[in-house]
Amino acid sequence: EIQLVESGGGLVQPGGSLRLSCAASGFTFSAYYMDWVRQAPGKGLEWVGRSTNKANGYTTEYAASVKGRFTISRDDSENSLYLQMNSLKTEDTAVYYCARGVTGIMNRWFDPWGQGTLVTVSS
Amino acid sequence: DIQLTQSPSFLSASVGDRVTITCRASQGISSHLAWYQQKPGKAPKLLIFAASTLQSGVPSRFSGSGSGTEFTLTITSLQPEDFATYYCQQLNSYPLTFGGGAKVEIK
């Protein structure tokens, strides 16, 4: 069974840092792009960023709202994806999902998604 | 950045109804569009990719169409389990973006 499980969420003060993890199983992790998506309470989905795979140099892309503060990394030997979040703001409060990204010439999608982990930024 | 505008953002419908949700892109995205269903407290679930290809296991009452800047998600004969929020997503260029969502509620 293909599965993604996030962990590391919690309560952090503004200006603080947090590192989220996403453990993957059931597929060849190293072959896939991986993405982070967040959802603020009662709001819609917002793409956070992406890590490409080894074949594409593990390059990363970020949303403007997090660029320079968040860093995505991965450890293919551990089948794990990470999101290092620094200089956190109250507006970063959200459920954070990791998702497997499929990026073909025509066929592109996010599937599956993890169950999400809640990050609350508050004093 | 490519903006996706979904309409309506909310609709009230009955079991058995035909429902159509539109997603408009601010610039052309070819067919690089996916649709997701999200229920409260759950992660989004992929329904359709490449604008019109049904994901394996998704009921055939769901269908997608469109290319370029205008796309539609249609649910024929709405079922009780279809009451949820639906999001479109463009995967044509960075930053990847989602529409604002369309909540389908029971009339």
Side-chain angles (χ1 to χ4, degrees):
Chain A
E1 179 193 5
I2 295 173
Q3 195 172 17
L4 298 171
V5 178
E6 301 94 337
S7 60
L11 175 64
V12 60
Q13 292 188 336
S17 298
L18 206 58
R19 188 195 197 206
L20 305 184
S21 300
C22 170
S25 59
F27 65 99
T28 305
F29 181 75
S30 59
Y32 286 87
Y33 291 20
M34 295 296 298
D35 291 84
W36 287 98
V37 177
R38 68 184 181 183
Q39 187 169 36
K43 302 297 184 182
L45 302 170
E46 179 189 16
W47 177 74
V48 171
R50 156 173 285 184
S51 168
T52 66
N53 54 13
K54 181 178 182 179
N56 288 278
Y58 296 124
T59 55
T60 52
E61 299 283 347
Y62 298 94
S65 59
V66 306
K67 196 169 186 177
R69 300 188 298 124
F70 289 12
T71 301
I72 295 173
S73 61
R74 62 193 290 165
D75 184 340
D76 288 355
S77 68
E78 295 290 330
N79 290 340
S80 293
L81 177 74
Y82 304 101
L83 179 64
Q84 177 67 44
M85 304 184 293
N86 298 331
S87 303
L88 281 161
K89 307 175 181 180
T90 55
E91 52 264 40
D92 295 318
T93 294
V95 173
Y96 284 74
Y97 297 100
C98 64
R100 184 180 69 168
V102 173
T103 305
I105 293 175
M106 284 309 299
N107 293 337
R108 303 176 182 181
W109 66 81
F110 285 9
D111 182 72
W113 298 56
Q115 85 287 353
T117 187
L118 176 63
V119 173
T120 303
V121 184
S122 174
S123 54
Chain B
D1 296 5
I2 296 174
Q3 276 77 48
L4 297 180
T5 303
Q6 287 186 238
S7 60
S9 56
F10 173 88
L11 71 93
S12 184
S14 300
V15 172
D17 283 354
R18 178 187 179 95
V19 167
T20 298
I21 298 167
T22 297
C23 178
R24 290 188 174 87
S26 58
Q27 57 187 274
I29 59 170
S30 183
S31 295
H32 297 141
L33 188 103
W35 288 97
Y36 301 87
Q37 176 193 67
Q38 187 180 35
K39 296 182 179 179
K42 300 294 186 182
K45 171 190 171 185
L46 175 68
L47 297 176
I48 287 169
F49 60 91
S52 61
T53 303
L54 200 65
Q55 170 70 339
S56 175
V58 174
S60 59
R61 62 181 179 272
F62 290 91
S63 65
S65 65
S67 68
T69 61
E70 188 141 342
F71 303 85
T72 59
L73 172 70
T74 299
I75 312 170
T76 57
S77 190
L78 199 65
Q79 296 302 299
E81 60 268 30
D82 300 336
F83 291 95
T85 301
Y86 294 85
Y87 293 93
C88 57
Q89 178 199 27
Q90 69 83 15
L91 300 102
N92 186 71
S93 61
Y94 297 116
L96 307 183
T97 48
F98 291 90
K103 187 173 185 179
V104 178
E105 287 204 344
I106 302 174
K107 183 181 287 184

PDB file of all heavy atoms in Angstrom, chain A residues 75-111:
ATOM      1  N   ASP A  75      15.655  12.546   1.990  1.00  0.00           N
ATOM      2  CA  ASP A  75      16.660  11.506   2.187  1.00  0.00           C
ATOM      3  C   ASP A  75      16.096  10.253   1.538  1.00  0.00           C
ATOM      4  O   ASP A  75      15.239   9.568   2.120  1.00  0.00           O
ATOM      5  CB  ASP A  75      16.918  11.312   3.682  1.00  0.00           C
ATOM      6  CG  ASP A  75      18.019  10.300   3.951  1.00  0.00           C
ATOM      7  OD1 ASP A  75      18.319   9.475   3.053  1.00  0.00           O
ATOM      8  OD2 ASP A  75      18.578  10.305   5.051  1.00  0.00           O
ATOM      9  N   ASP A  76      16.563   9.959   0.350  1.00  0.00           N
ATOM     10  CA  ASP A  76      16.037   8.804  -0.368  1.00  0.00           C
ATOM     11  C   ASP A  76      16.366   7.496   0.333  1.00  0.00           C
ATOM     12  O   ASP A  76      15.625   6.516   0.210  1.00  0.00           O
ATOM     13  CB  ASP A  76      16.559   8.789  -1.806  1.00  0.00           C
ATOM     14  CG  ASP A  76      15.929   9.859  -2.688  1.00  0.00           C
ATOM     15  OD1 ASP A  76      15.004  10.554  -2.213  1.00  0.00           O
ATOM     16  OD2 ASP A  76      16.366  10.017  -3.846  1.00  0.00           O
ATOM     17  N   SER A  77      17.461   7.451   1.060  1.00  0.00           N
ATOM     18  CA  SER A  77      17.822   6.220   1.762  1.00  0.00           C
ATOM     19  C   SER A  77      16.855   5.922   2.905  1.00  0.00           C
ATOM     20  O   SER A  77      16.713   4.774   3.322  1.00  0.00           O
ATOM     21  CB  SER A  77      19.252   6.312   2.304  1.00  0.00           C
ATOM     22  OG  SER A  77      19.334   7.272   3.336  1.00  0.00           O
ATOM     23  N   GLU A  78      16.202   6.973   3.401  1.00  0.00           N
ATOM     24  CA  GLU A  78      15.221   6.824   4.478  1.00  0.00           C
ATOM     25  C   GLU A  78      13.788   6.976   3.972  1.00  0.00           C
ATOM     26  O   GLU A  78      12.841   6.955   4.775  1.00  0.00           O
ATOM     27  CB  GLU A  78      15.478   7.885   5.564  1.00  0.00           C
ATOM     28  CG  GLU A  78      16.801   7.731   6.284  1.00  0.00           C
ATOM     29  CD  GLU A  78      16.834   6.509   7.195  1.00  0.00           C
ATOM     30  OE1 GLU A  78      15.748   6.117   7.716  1.00  0.00           O
ATOM     31  OE2 GLU A  78      17.919   5.929   7.376  1.00  0.00           O
ATOM     32  N   ASN A  79      13.638   7.139   2.660  1.00  0.00           N
ATOM     33  CA  ASN A  79      12.297   7.353   2.081  1.00  0.00           C
ATOM     34  C   ASN A  79      11.549   8.476   2.785  1.00  0.00           C
ATOM     35  O   ASN A  79      10.367   8.359   3.133  1.00  0.00           O
ATOM     36  CB  ASN A  79      11.458   6.062   2.148  1.00  0.00           C
ATOM     37  CG  ASN A  79      11.961   4.990   1.208  1.00  0.00           C
ATOM     38  OD1 ASN A  79      12.679   5.269   0.250  1.00  0.00           O
ATOM     39  ND2 ASN A  79      11.609   3.753   1.496  1.00  0.00           N
ATOM     40  N   SER A  80      12.249   9.558   3.016  1.00  0.00           N
ATOM     41  CA  SER A  80      11.678  10.656   3.802  1.00  0.00           C
ATOM     42  C   SER A  80      11.854  12.009   3.135  1.00  0.00           C
ATOM     43  O   SER A  80      12.872  12.272   2.490  1.00  0.00           O
ATOM     44  CB  SER A  80      12.300  10.692   5.196  1.00  0.00           C
ATOM     45  OG  SER A  80      11.933   9.565   5.952  1.00  0.00           O
ATOM     46  N   LEU A  81      10.855  12.839   3.331  1.00  0.00           N
ATOM     47  CA  LEU A  81      10.824  14.218   2.841  1.00  0.00           C
ATOM     48  C   LEU A  81      10.740  15.128   4.067  1.00  0.00           C
ATOM     49  O   LEU A  81      10.091  14.761   5.063  1.00  0.00           O
ATOM     50  CB  LEU A  81       9.594  14.428   1.959  1.00  0.00           C
ATOM     51  CG  LEU A  81       9.339  15.830   1.415  1.00  0.00           C
ATOM     52  CD1 LEU A  81      10.347  16.137   0.294  1.00  0.00           C
ATOM     53  CD2 LEU A  81       7.902  15.932   0.902  1.00  0.00           C
ATOM     54  N   TYR A  82      11.378  16.277   3.983  1.00  0.00           N
ATOM     55  CA  TYR A  82      11.395  17.182   5.117  1.00  0.00           C
ATOM     56  C   TYR A  82      10.998  18.595   4.694  1.00  0.00           C
ATOM     57  O   TYR A  82      11.193  18.988   3.549  1.00  0.00           O
ATOM     58  CB  TYR A  82      12.784  17.228   5.748  1.00  0.00           C
ATOM     59  CG  TYR A  82      13.286  15.868   6.159  1.00  0.00           C
ATOM     60  CD1 TYR A  82      14.210  15.173   5.378  1.00  0.00           C
ATOM     61  CD2 TYR A  82      12.814  15.252   7.317  1.00  0.00           C
ATOM     62  CE1 TYR A  82      14.656  13.914   5.735  1.00  0.00           C
ATOM     63  CE2 TYR A  82      13.256  13.989   7.695  1.00  0.00           C
ATOM     64  CZ  TYR A  82      14.172  13.330   6.897  1.00  0.00           C
ATOM     65  OH  TYR A  82      14.594  12.083   7.251  1.00  0.00           O
ATOM     66  N   LEU A  83      10.453  19.345   5.660  1.00  0.00           N
ATOM     67  CA  LEU A  83      10.174  20.759   5.453  1.00  0.00           C
ATOM     68  C   LEU A  83      10.694  21.501   6.673  1.00  0.00           C
ATOM     69  O   LEU A  83      10.139  21.383   7.761  1.00  0.00           O
ATOM     70  CB  LEU A  83       8.671  21.006   5.282  1.00  0.00           C
ATOM     71  CG  LEU A  83       8.265  22.467   5.070  1.00  0.00           C
ATOM     72  CD1 LEU A  83       8.844  23.008   3.759  1.00  0.00           C
ATOM     73  CD2 LEU A  83       6.738  22.626   5.085  1.00  0.00           C
ATOM     74  N   GLN A  84      11.801  22.215   6.496  1.00  0.00           N
ATOM     75  CA  GLN A  84      12.356  23.044   7.553  1.00  0.00           C
ATOM     76  C   GLN A  84      11.720  24.425   7.444  1.00  0.00           C
ATOM     77  O   GLN A  84      11.841  25.090   6.410  1.00  0.00           O
ATOM     78  CB  GLN A  84      13.874  23.158   7.417  1.00  0.00           C
ATOM     79  CG  GLN A  84      14.526  24.066   8.446  1.00  0.00           C
ATOM     80  CD  GLN A  84      14.437  23.505   9.853  1.00  0.00           C
ATOM     81  OE1 GLN A  84      14.663  22.327  10.083  1.00  0.00           O
ATOM     82  NE2 GLN A  84      14.098  24.359  10.819  1.00  0.00           N
ATOM     83  N   MET A  85      11.056  24.836   8.517  1.00  0.00           N
ATOM     84  CA  MET A  85      10.338  26.107   8.518  1.00  0.00           C
ATOM     85  C   MET A  85      10.982  27.039   9.536  1.00  0.00           C
ATOM     86  O   MET A  85      10.997  26.729  10.740  1.00  0.00           O
ATOM     87  CB  MET A  85       8.866  25.873   8.850  1.00  0.00           C
ATOM     88  CG  MET A  85       8.185  24.894   7.910  1.00  0.00           C
ATOM     89  SD  MET A  85       6.422  24.724   8.238  1.00  0.00           S
ATOM     90  CE  MET A  85       6.467  23.937   9.837  1.00  0.00           C
ATOM     91  N   ASN A  86      11.509  28.152   9.070  1.00  0.00           N
ATOM     92  CA  ASN A  86      12.144  29.141   9.929  1.00  0.00           C
ATOM     93  C   ASN A  86      11.378  30.450   9.874  1.00  0.00           C
ATOM     94  O   ASN A  86      10.545  30.659   8.973  1.00  0.00           O
ATOM     95  CB  ASN A  86      13.591  29.380   9.487  1.00  0.00           C
ATOM     96  CG  ASN A  86      14.449  28.136   9.592  1.00  0.00           C
ATOM     97  OD1 ASN A  86      14.206  27.266  10.438  1.00  0.00           O
ATOM     98  ND2 ASN A  86      15.451  28.048   8.737  1.00  0.00           N
ATOM     99  N   SER A  87      11.654  31.318  10.825  1.00  0.00           N
ATOM    100  CA  SER A  87      11.012  32.647  10.872  1.00  0.00           C
ATOM    101  C   SER A  87       9.508  32.530  10.700  1.00  0.00           C
ATOM    102  O   SER A  87       8.898  33.238   9.896  1.00  0.00           O
ATOM    103  CB  SER A  87      11.602  33.551   9.788  1.00  0.00           C
ATOM    104  OG  SER A  87      12.997  33.669   9.911  1.00  0.00           O
ATOM    105  N   LEU A  88       8.922  31.651  11.457  1.00  0.00           N
ATOM    106  CA  LEU A  88       7.497  31.370  11.294  1.00  0.00           C
ATOM    107  C   LEU A  88       6.645  32.570  11.673  1.00  0.00           C
ATOM    108  O   LEU A  88       6.951  33.316  12.613  1.00  0.00           O
ATOM    109  CB  LEU A  88       7.108  30.146  12.112  1.00  0.00           C
ATOM    110  CG  LEU A  88       7.493  28.818  11.443  1.00  0.00           C
ATOM    111  CD1 LEU A  88       7.523  27.687  12.451  1.00  0.00           C
ATOM    112  CD2 LEU A  88       6.551  28.502  10.297  1.00  0.00           C
ATOM    113  N   LYS A  89       5.554  32.719  10.928  1.00  0.00           N
ATOM    114  CA  LYS A  89       4.603  33.799  11.137  1.00  0.00           C
ATOM    115  C   LYS A  89       3.250  33.217  11.504  1.00  0.00           C
ATOM    116  O   LYS A  89       2.966  32.046  11.204  1.00  0.00           O
ATOM    117  CB  LYS A  89       4.470  34.631   9.854  1.00  0.00           C
ATOM    118  CG  LYS A  89       5.775  35.140   9.280  1.00  0.00           C
ATOM    119  CD  LYS A  89       5.541  35.831   7.949  1.00  0.00           C
ATOM    120  CE  LYS A  89       6.850  36.318   7.345  1.00  0.00           C
ATOM    121  NZ  LYS A  89       6.642  36.997   6.034  1.00  0.00           N
ATOM    122  N   THR A  90       2.397  34.025  12.100  1.00  0.00           N
ATOM    123  CA  THR A  90       1.070  33.522  12.470  1.00  0.00           C
ATOM    124  C   THR A  90       0.311  33.026  11.244  1.00  0.00           C
ATOM    125  O   THR A  90      -0.461  32.067  11.330  1.00  0.00           O
ATOM    126  CB  THR A  90       0.258  34.612  13.187  1.00  0.00           C
ATOM    127  OG1 THR A  90       0.201  35.780  12.352  1.00  0.00           O
ATOM    128  CG2 THR A  90       0.892  34.975  14.528  1.00  0.00           C
ATOM    129  N   GLU A  91       0.565  33.649  10.091  1.00  0.00           N
ATOM    130  CA  GLU A  91      -0.138  33.235   8.865  1.00  0.00           C
ATOM    131  C   GLU A  91       0.363  31.914   8.289  1.00  0.00           C
ATOM    132  O   GLU A  91      -0.179  31.421   7.301  1.00  0.00           O
ATOM    133  CB  GLU A  91      -0.071  34.327   7.791  1.00  0.00           C
ATOM    134  CG  GLU A  91       1.309  34.841   7.484  1.00  0.00           C
ATOM    135  CD  GLU A  91       1.656  36.113   8.242  1.00  0.00           C
ATOM    136  OE1 GLU A  91       1.304  36.225   9.447  1.00  0.00           O
ATOM    137  OE2 GLU A  91       2.290  36.998   7.628  1.00  0.00           O
ATOM    138  N   ASP A  92       1.386  31.319   8.904  1.00  0.00           N
ATOM    139  CA  ASP A  92       1.839  29.991   8.505  1.00  0.00           C
ATOM    140  C   ASP A  92       1.041  28.896   9.218  1.00  0.00           C
ATOM    141  O   ASP A  92       1.243  27.708   8.937  1.00  0.00           O
ATOM    142  CB  ASP A  92       3.327  29.799   8.823  1.00  0.00           C
ATOM    143  CG  ASP A  92       4.222  30.717   8.011  1.00  0.00           C
ATOM    144  OD1 ASP A  92       3.956  30.881   6.793  1.00  0.00           O
ATOM    145  OD2 ASP A  92       5.178  31.268   8.574  1.00  0.00           O
ATOM    146  N   THR A  93       0.165  29.291  10.124  1.00  0.00           N
ATOM    147  CA  THR A  93      -0.685  28.309  10.804  1.00  0.00           C
ATOM    148  C   THR A  93      -1.543  27.573   9.790  1.00  0.00           C
ATOM    149  O   THR A  93      -2.296  28.191   9.022  1.00  0.00           O
ATOM    150  CB  THR A  93      -1.583  29.012  11.841  1.00  0.00           C
ATOM    151  OG1 THR A  93      -0.769  29.558  12.878  1.00  0.00           O
ATOM    152  CG2 THR A  93      -2.595  28.041  12.436  1.00  0.00           C
ATOM    153  N   ALA A  94      -1.433  26.251   9.777  1.00  0.00           N
ATOM    154  CA  ALA A  94      -2.127  25.449   8.769  1.00  0.00           C
ATOM    155  C   ALA A  94      -1.895  23.965   9.031  1.00  0.00           C
ATOM    156  O   ALA A  94      -1.009  23.593   9.803  1.00  0.00           O
ATOM    157  CB  ALA A  94      -1.614  25.794   7.364  1.00  0.00           C
ATOM    158  N   VAL A  95      -2.688  23.158   8.375  1.00  0.00           N
ATOM    159  CA  VAL A  95      -2.377  21.742   8.248  1.00  0.00           C
ATOM    160  C   VAL A  95      -1.452  21.605   7.045  1.00  0.00           C
ATOM    161  O   VAL A  95      -1.741  22.142   5.971  1.00  0.00           O
ATOM    162  CB  VAL A  95      -3.647  20.901   8.040  1.00  0.00           C
ATOM    163  CG1 VAL A  95      -3.284  19.454   7.733  1.00  0.00           C
ATOM    164  CG2 VAL A  95      -4.546  20.979   9.269  1.00  0.00           C
ATOM    165  N   TYR A  96      -0.350  20.905   7.250  1.00  0.00           N
ATOM    166  CA  TYR A  96       0.641  20.717   6.184  1.00  0.00           C
ATOM    167  C   TYR A  96       0.549  19.277   5.691  1.00  0.00           C
ATOM    168  O   TYR A  96       0.651  18.326   6.478  1.00  0.00           O
ATOM    169  CB  TYR A  96       2.040  21.023   6.699  1.00  0.00           C
ATOM    170  CG  TYR A  96       2.294  22.504   6.827  1.00  0.00           C
ATOM    171  CD1 TYR A  96       1.712  23.242   7.863  1.00  0.00           C
ATOM    172  CD2 TYR A  96       3.085  23.193   5.914  1.00  0.00           C
ATOM    173  CE1 TYR A  96       1.904  24.612   7.980  1.00  0.00           C
ATOM    174  CE2 TYR A  96       3.294  24.559   6.014  1.00  0.00           C
ATOM    175  CZ  TYR A  96       2.701  25.268   7.047  1.00  0.00           C
ATOM    176  OH  TYR A  96       2.889  26.624   7.164  1.00  0.00           O
ATOM    177  N   TYR A  97       0.365  19.146   4.387  1.00  0.00           N
ATOM    178  CA  TYR A  97       0.293  17.836   3.748  1.00  0.00           C
ATOM    179  C   TYR A  97       1.529  17.628   2.876  1.00  0.00           C
ATOM    180  O   TYR A  97       1.977  18.563   2.201  1.00  0.00           O
ATOM    181  CB  TYR A  97      -0.915  17.745   2.817  1.00  0.00           C
ATOM    182  CG  TYR A  97      -2.268  17.869   3.454  1.00  0.00           C
ATOM    183  CD1 TYR A  97      -2.974  19.077   3.425  1.00  0.00           C
ATOM    184  CD2 TYR A  97      -2.886  16.773   4.057  1.00  0.00           C
ATOM    185  CE1 TYR A  97      -4.238  19.184   3.985  1.00  0.00           C
ATOM    186  CE2 TYR A  97      -4.151  16.870   4.621  1.00  0.00           C
ATOM    187  CZ  TYR A  97      -4.816  18.083   4.582  1.00  0.00           C
ATOM    188  OH  TYR A  97      -6.073  18.182   5.132  1.00  0.00           O
ATOM    189  N   CYS A  98       2.029  16.394   2.856  1.00  0.00           N
ATOM    190  CA  CYS A  98       2.974  16.042   1.807  1.00  0.00           C
ATOM    191  C   CYS A  98       2.207  15.219   0.765  1.00  0.00           C
ATOM    192  O   CYS A  98       1.195  14.579   1.079  1.00  0.00           O
ATOM    193  CB  CYS A  98       4.178  15.270   2.322  1.00  0.00           C
ATOM    194  SG  CYS A  98       3.831  13.655   3.027  1.00  0.00           S
ATOM    195  N   ALA A  99       2.667  15.287  -0.452  1.00  0.00           N
ATOM    196  CA  ALA A  99       2.002  14.588  -1.540  1.00  0.00           C
ATOM    197  C   ALA A  99       3.036  14.129  -2.557  1.00  0.00           C
ATOM    198  O   ALA A  99       4.059  14.801  -2.763  1.00  0.00           O
ATOM    199  CB  ALA A  99       0.967  15.490  -2.211  1.00  0.00           C
ATOM    200  N   ARG A 100       2.789  13.000  -3.172  1.00  0.00           N
ATOM    201  CA  ARG A 100       3.655  12.526  -4.242  1.00  0.00           C
ATOM    202  C   ARG A 100       3.241  13.223  -5.530  1.00  0.00           C
ATOM    203  O   ARG A 100       2.062  13.217  -5.900  1.00  0.00           O
ATOM    204  CB  ARG A 100       3.508  11.013  -4.397  1.00  0.00           C
ATOM    205  CG  ARG A 100       4.444  10.407  -5.428  1.00  0.00           C
ATOM    206  CD  ARG A 100       4.250   8.912  -5.534  1.00  0.00           C
ATOM    207  NE  ARG A 100       2.980   8.536  -6.122  1.00  0.00           N
ATOM    208  CZ  ARG A 100       2.664   7.321  -6.524  1.00  0.00           C
ATOM    209  NH1 ARG A 100       3.547   6.339  -6.368  1.00  0.00           N
ATOM    210  NH2 ARG A 100       1.484   7.053  -7.042  1.00  0.00           N
ATOM    211  N   GLY A 101       4.198  13.811  -6.193  1.00  0.00           N
ATOM    212  CA  GLY A 101       3.907  14.534  -7.420  1.00  0.00           C
ATOM    213  C   GLY A 101       4.303  13.724  -8.640  1.00  0.00           C
ATOM    214  O   GLY A 101       5.438  13.257  -8.741  1.00  0.00           O
ATOM    215  N   VAL A 102       3.376  13.519  -9.529  1.00  0.00           N
ATOM    216  CA  VAL A 102       3.655  12.852 -10.796  1.00  0.00           C
ATOM    217  C   VAL A 102       3.745  13.926 -11.864  1.00  0.00           C
ATOM    218  O   VAL A 102       2.821  14.738 -12.008  1.00  0.00           O
ATOM    219  CB  VAL A 102       2.563  11.830 -11.140  1.00  0.00           C
ATOM    220  CG1 VAL A 102       2.777  11.279 -12.548  1.00  0.00           C
ATOM    221  CG2 VAL A 102       2.567  10.712 -10.114  1.00  0.00           C
ATOM    222  N   THR A 103       4.846  13.944 -12.588  1.00  0.00           N
ATOM    223  CA  THR A 103       5.059  15.014 -13.560  1.00  0.00           C
ATOM    224  C   THR A 103       5.512  14.423 -14.876  1.00  0.00           C
ATOM    225  O   THR A 103       6.713  14.279 -15.128  1.00  0.00           O
ATOM    226  CB  THR A 103       6.096  16.014 -13.034  1.00  0.00           C
ATOM    227  OG1 THR A 103       5.669  16.473 -11.753  1.00  0.00           O
ATOM    228  CG2 THR A 103       6.225  17.211 -13.956  1.00  0.00           C
ATOM    229  N   GLY A 104       4.534  14.065 -15.699  1.00  0.00           N
ATOM    230  CA  GLY A 104       4.837  13.571 -17.031  1.00  0.00           C
ATOM    231  C   GLY A 104       4.641  14.666 -18.053  1.00  0.00           C
ATOM    232  O   GLY A 104       4.321  15.798 -17.712  1.00  0.00           O
ATOM    233  N   ILE A 105       4.831  14.334 -19.298  1.00  0.00           N
ATOM    234  CA  ILE A 105       4.650  15.332 -20.355  1.00  0.00           C
ATOM    235  C   ILE A 105       3.210  15.840 -20.341  1.00  0.00           C
ATOM    236  O   ILE A 105       2.950  17.037 -20.429  1.00  0.00           O
ATOM    237  CB  ILE A 105       5.008  14.745 -21.725  1.00  0.00           C
ATOM    238  CG1 ILE A 105       6.506  14.442 -21.783  1.00  0.00           C
ATOM    239  CG2 ILE A 105       4.626  15.715 -22.848  1.00  0.00           C
ATOM    240  CD1 ILE A 105       6.957  13.744 -23.043  1.00  0.00           C
ATOM    241  N   MET A 106       2.270  14.927 -20.222  1.00  0.00           N
ATOM    242  CA  MET A 106       0.870  15.347 -20.144  1.00  0.00           C
ATOM    243  C   MET A 106       0.236  14.999 -18.794  1.00  0.00           C
ATOM    244  O   MET A 106      -0.598  15.723 -18.296  1.00  0.00           O
ATOM    245  CB  MET A 106       0.066  14.680 -21.269  1.00  0.00           C
ATOM    246  CG  MET A 106       0.284  15.306 -22.619  1.00  0.00           C
ATOM    247  SD  MET A 106       0.074  17.104 -22.593  1.00  0.00           S
ATOM    248  CE  MET A 106      -1.623  17.273 -22.084  1.00  0.00           C
ATOM    249  N   ASN A 107       0.603  13.865 -18.250  1.00  0.00           N
ATOM    250  CA  ASN A 107      -0.040  13.389 -17.029  1.00  0.00           C
ATOM    251  C   ASN A 107       0.683  13.921 -15.806  1.00  0.00           C
ATOM    252  O   ASN A 107       1.819  13.536 -15.528  1.00  0.00           O
ATOM    253  CB  ASN A 107      -0.052  11.859 -17.006  1.00  0.00           C
ATOM    254  CG  ASN A 107      -0.947  11.304 -18.095  1.00  0.00           C
ATOM    255  OD1 ASN A 107      -1.847  11.993 -18.572  1.00  0.00           O
ATOM    256  ND2 ASN A 107      -0.692  10.087 -18.504  1.00  0.00           N
ATOM    257  N   ARG A 108      -0.012  14.804 -15.089  1.00  0.00           N
ATOM    258  CA  ARG A 108       0.577  15.427 -13.910  1.00  0.00           C
ATOM    259  C   ARG A 108      -0.482  15.487 -12.823  1.00  0.00           C
ATOM    260  O   ARG A 108      -1.627  15.876 -13.072  1.00  0.00           O
ATOM    261  CB  ARG A 108       1.067  16.844 -14.243  1.00  0.00           C
ATOM    262  CG  ARG A 108       2.060  16.893 -15.381  1.00  0.00           C
ATOM    263  CD  ARG A 108       2.458  18.311 -15.742  1.00  0.00           C
ATOM    264  NE  ARG A 108       3.386  18.318 -16.871  1.00  0.00           N
ATOM    265  CZ  ARG A 108       3.929  19.401 -17.398  1.00  0.00           C
ATOM    266  NH1 ARG A 108       3.637  20.596 -16.887  1.00  0.00           N
ATOM    267  NH2 ARG A 108       4.742  19.308 -18.430  1.00  0.00           N
ATOM    268  N   TRP A 109      -0.090  15.100 -11.623  1.00  0.00           N
ATOM    269  CA  TRP A 109      -1.034  15.131 -10.529  1.00  0.00           C
ATOM    270  C   TRP A 109      -0.330  14.931  -9.199  1.00  0.00           C
ATOM    271  O   TRP A 109       0.864  14.629  -9.159  1.00  0.00           O
ATOM    272  CB  TRP A 109      -2.114  14.048 -10.706  1.00  0.00           C
ATOM    273  CG  TRP A 109      -1.606  12.648 -10.610  1.00  0.00           C
ATOM    274  CD1 TRP A 109      -1.349  11.930  -9.467  1.00  0.00           C
ATOM    275  CD2 TRP A 109      -1.309  11.772 -11.704  1.00  0.00           C
ATOM    276  NE1 TRP A 109      -0.892  10.659  -9.792  1.00  0.00           N
ATOM    277  CE2 TRP A 109      -0.863  10.545 -11.141  1.00  0.00           C
ATOM    278  CE3 TRP A 109      -1.358  11.902 -13.088  1.00  0.00           C
ATOM    279  CZ2 TRP A 109      -0.492   9.458 -11.933  1.00  0.00           C
ATOM    280  CZ3 TRP A 109      -0.992  10.815 -13.869  1.00  0.00           C
ATOM    281  CH2 TRP A 109      -0.562   9.615 -13.292  1.00  0.00           C
ATOM    282  N   PHE A 110      -1.070  15.128  -8.088  1.00  0.00           N
ATOM    283  CA  PHE A 110      -0.612  14.844  -6.735  1.00  0.00           C
ATOM    284  C   PHE A 110      -1.431  13.650  -6.223  1.00  0.00           C
ATOM    285  O   PHE A 110      -2.628  13.724  -6.054  1.00  0.00           O
ATOM    286  CB  PHE A 110      -0.878  16.017  -5.791  1.00  0.00           C
ATOM    287  CG  PHE A 110       0.035  17.203  -5.954  1.00  0.00           C
ATOM    288  CD1 PHE A 110       0.919  17.309  -7.005  1.00  0.00           C
ATOM    289  CD2 PHE A 110      -0.010  18.234  -5.026  1.00  0.00           C
ATOM    290  CE1 PHE A 110       1.749  18.429  -7.142  1.00  0.00           C
ATOM    291  CE2 PHE A 110       0.822  19.341  -5.134  1.00  0.00           C
ATOM    292  CZ  PHE A 110       1.691  19.439  -6.199  1.00  0.00           C
ATOM    293  N   ASP A 111      -0.732  12.551  -5.957  1.00  0.00           N
ATOM    294  CA  ASP A 111      -1.414  11.392  -5.396  1.00  0.00           C
ATOM    295  C   ASP A 111      -0.393  10.342  -4.998  1.00  0.00           C
ATOM    296  O   ASP A 111       0.500  10.044  -5.798  1.00  0.00           O
ATOM    297  CB  ASP A 111      -2.369  10.781  -6.440  1.00  0.00           C
ATOM    298  CG  ASP A 111      -3.147   9.593  -5.890  1.00  0.00           C
ATOM    299  OD1 ASP A 111      -4.052   9.814  -5.062  1.00  0.00           O
ATOM    300  OD2 ASP A 111      -2.817   8.454  -6.268  1.00  0.00           O
TER     301      ASP A 111
END
